[in-house]
Amino acid sequence: MENNRYPFVNLALPYAYDALEPFIDETTMRLHHTRHLQTYIQNLNALLIDRPQLQKLTLQQLIIASQRYTEELGVPLLSNAGGVYNHRFFFDGLRPAPAREPRGSLASALTQRFGSFEGFRDAFKKAALSVFGSGYAFLVLGPKGLEIIKAPNQNSPVQLMLCPIIAIDVWEHAYYLKHYNMRSDYIDAWFNVADWDKAGENYDRCIQNRGYMR
Ligand code: MN3
């Protein structure tokens, strides 16, 4: 991952803010990247500025380390390192006109685990819909194979040593301007821009590394 240590900068997205129209609108993408992610980046840098030991750690290591600290440091460290990691991962998994279904080894693994891609889709949508309040649904590779997990707030699969494959941000800021409170419509729209080729690369890397490091 690029820019994986302090000082963190808000890297440009690999597509234009309007590139995911009409599925995810330009204003949502612009605000999500330039305000929401930007704020996590600034807060994370502010938290690390006087902590040289933590400046040496990668984003993933910061997330894992956050669990060793007292609440006063651990909670903001997880929220902000998780906020940067999860947003970058979510944005990386989007693409205009992507492959709509996985191919190769991920396709086989999804079919084996969920019966079919449709079976996966239903299970993933159900999980994303049932995140109470703010958070994410992730498809991950864990010790038992593929799993769908819900991550509240900015919790991350990295904490649990699970290897992320694709994610949907279901915080209201991810969809409210276009879909108001209709999270279900947003999830359906997300399936039109979820990049299954990228997810397939992530899966192959997860299998190779047998770990959480991207
Ligand atoms: Mn978000």
Side-chain angles (χ1 to χ4, degrees):
M1 189 190 271
E2 211 184 328
N3 181 231
N4 207 16
R5 282 187 177 79
Y6 178 89
F8 292 96
V9 294
N10 199 2
L11 303 170
L13 296 180
Y15 42 78
Y17 291 122
D18 64 356
L20 307 178
E21 292 269 10
F23 304 109
I24 304 183
D25 61 288
E26 177 179 359
T27 308
T28 295
M29 288 304 296
R30 189 181 296 279
L31 295 177
H32 206 167
H33 184 254
T34 63
R35 301 205 189 183
H36 293 276
L37 174 51
Q38 182 69 35
T39 302
Y40 286 111
I41 290 195
Q42 284 164 353
N43 290 346
L44 182 57
N45 284 335
L47 206 55
L48 301 186
I49 195 167
D50 293 324
R51 293 186 167 96
Q53 288 306 313
L54 292 181
Q55 291 175 11
K56 295 176 192 161
L57 302 185
T58 66
L59 202 45
Q60 292 94 328
Q61 289 167 338
L62 287 169
I63 291 170
I64 292 164
S66 72
Q67 302 173 102
R68 296 198 300 262
Y69 294 101
T70 58
E71 210 177 309
E72 194 187 354
L73 175 59
V75 169
L77 188 56
L78 174 63
S79 302
N80 290 295
V84 175
Y85 182 89
N86 290 344
H87 277 107
R88 283 178 170 181
F89 188 81
F90 166 68
F91 288 136
D92 258 8
L94 301 174
R95 191 179 141 177
R100 299 282 182 99
E101 291 196 16
R103 299 183 257 220
S105 52
L106 176 57
S108 319
L110 277 174
T111 301
Q112 198 174 12
R113 172 70 179 77
F114 298 97
S116 62
F117 183 62
E118 280 309 304
F120 160 76
R121 228 185 119 104
D122 292 347
F124 194 72
K125 180 171 180 179
K126 198 172 159 195
L129 266 178
S130 68
V131 172
F132 184 75
S134 298
Y136 298 76
F138 280 86
L139 173 66
V140 300
L141 184 68
K144 290 174 287 181
L146 289 175
E147 286 180 69
I148 294 169
I149 65 159
K150 296 189 273 183
N153 302 310
Q154 296 298 352
N155 284 20
S156 176
V158 171
Q159 281 165 274
L160 308 167
M161 308 300 267
L162 300 171
C163 191
I165 292 162
I166 203 160
I168 182 169
D169 182 343
V170 293
W171 284 59
E172 278 190 345
H173 65 235
Y175 62 88
Y176 198 85
L177 294 179
K178 184 177 172 76
H179 298 287
Y180 305 113
N181 61 331
M182 302 304 291
R183 188 188 287 180
S184 172
D185 293 351
Y186 159 68
I187 298 167
D188 292 340
W190 174 84
F191 271 102
N192 291 283
V193 288
D195 184 356
W196 288 102
D197 284 344
K198 171 66 72 155
E201 287 168 26
N202 290 338
Y203 177 73
D204 292 341
R205 193 181 307 113
C206 291
I207 292 280
Q208 261 171 18
N209 296 352
R210 295 177 183 280
Y212 59 90
M213 291 297 180
R214 292 181 64 218

